[in-house]
Amino acid sequence: MPILDGGGIHALVKETLANEKKAEADLETAKRKAAADARSAFAGIASGIAQIDALQSAVASGDQSFTDNRVGYQLGIRINSDVLDAERQLYSSR
């Protein structure tokens, strides 16, 4: 075994340490990306649920409006176009 190897072992140790630090940094990056992706997916689901609730409310409101306008038309309080507008809005919500 030579006394002086030209720094090969020292360079190999430095390279191995650098590779270890790079692997740790890559792991941290992957953890942060996974956490961000999970938060984004959760926000998307929460938004979707809120949108479903809003659309269900719109349909219920449109149904009530159509019913009220139809009764008002039968009583002579509303005109036919009010009933048709309410029905169009109901089907649009659905």
Side-chain angles (χ1 to χ4, degrees):
M1 177 169 206
I3 294 177
L4 186 60
D5 64 358
I9 292 176
H10 184 66
L12 184 61
V13 169
K14 277 190 164 187
E15 181 183 3
T16 302
L17 291 174
N19 286 339
E20 180 184 19
K21 288 188 186 279
K22 182 185 180 307
E24 288 173 354
D26 289 346
L27 176 62
E28 185 62 30
T29 300
K31 284 180 181 179
R32 289 181 183 186
K33 183 179 181 325
D37 289 347
R39 282 191 297 273
S40 177
F42 181 80
I45 290 170
S47 174
I49 290 171
Q51 187 176 11
I52 289 169
D53 290 343
L55 290 172
Q56 286 174 338
S57 294
V59 169
S61 175
D63 188 42
Q64 185 64 45
S65 175
F66 173 65
T67 302
D68 292 346
N69 276 297
R70 190 173 46 192
V71 169
Y73 175 74
Q74 291 170 347
L75 294 175
I77 301 171
R78 296 282 185 189
I79 59 174
N80 193 28
S81 65
D82 291 339
V83 178
L84 293 174
D85 288 341
E87 187 174 21
R88 185 178 307 116
Q89 183 61 37
L90 172 62
Y91 286 111
S92 174
S93 296
R94 285 187 180 163

